[in-house]
Amino acid sequence: FDLAEPIETGPSVTELAKAARRLGLVVVAPLFEARGSEVYHNTAAVIDADGTVLGKYRKMHIPQDPGFEEKFYFTPGDTGFRAWQTRYARIGVLVCWDQWFPEAAQAMMLMGADVLMYPTAIGSEPHDPSLDTRDPWQRVMIGHAVSNVVPVVAANRIGTEEGQTFYGASFIANPRGDKVAELA
């Protein structure tokens, strides 16, 4: 992707890299990636604390469910599973639907990941308002922490868009599966 291109209406990857360097933070930036006019990916850029863009991960598993009909617009990723050495740790990054697949987490662990990071957008099920997936979603992520003996960082979108409510509930779990931090 072109690092200077804006992420929808937000900052460009270049601007995020400058902020990462200024603040000394590692940034995992989820973004919409267009490759030409017909190939689109749900991608995460990985930016080190010195502002270096280490690479990108393109979501591999594309859901086809009511409210999450992504197969109509996203192409499965072609980057393979990756783990990046950053200033602070070796991180594995999976995007959204990839979180449900234990093999993906294990693949990153085999690459030496010290922490697994999951940027995601999950929430209500428009086809069944009585179905609440918040707790099962957290349990799956906690299962990755326990089964791989690794911290897990799960960052979930919050807010409402076109009848879908994203419930947030972002959290960090330690290798024992204890939630050590959570946002409402």
Side-chain angles (χ1 to χ4, degrees), residues 5-155:
E5 287 298 309
I7 303 167
E8 303 220 352
T9 59
S12 70
V13 174
T14 301
E15 292 168 323
L16 291 171
K18 288 177 185 175
R21 181 176 55 250
R22 187 178 75 252
L23 299 169
L25 298 174
V26 173
V27 175
V28 175
L31 54 98
F32 174 85
E33 180 187 7
R35 294 170 67 191
S37 62
E38 296 185 24
V39 177
Y40 308 108
H41 295 284
N42 190 345
T43 299
V46 179
I47 306 167
D48 205 353
D50 66 358
T52 302
V53 179
L54 298 176
K56 62 186 165 191
Y57 170 75
R58 293 180 178 134
K59 181 165 85 171
M60 304 283 272
H61 301 93
I62 309 297
Q64 175 54 40
D65 291 321
F68 299 97
E69 297 178 353
E70 296 180 20
K71 287 192 176 188
F72 291 113
Y73 48 93
F74 281 134
T75 300
D78 58 0
T79 57
F81 301 119
R82 305 270 316 270
W84 288 272
Q85 184 61 54
T86 70
R87 177 185 297 174
Y88 305 112
R90 188 164 186 82
I91 63 171
V93 176
L94 293 173
V95 175
C96 205
W97 188 249
D98 291 332
Q99 69 201 344
W100 297 96
F101 299 87
E103 298 84 0
Q106 186 177 38
M108 291 185 303
M109 294 305 298
L110 292 171
M111 293 177 212
D114 299 311
V115 62
L116 300 179
M117 304 187 85
Y118 295 92
T120 191
I122 188 171
S124 64
E125 303 291 336
H127 70 286
D128 184 354
S130 69
L131 183 59
D132 182 355
T133 58
R134 180 185 175 273
D135 290 343
W137 167 71
Q138 285 193 343
R139 284 194 293 271
V140 166
M141 300 296 97
I142 289 168
H144 293 321
V146 174
S147 63
N148 291 292
V149 193
V150 67
V152 166
V153 178

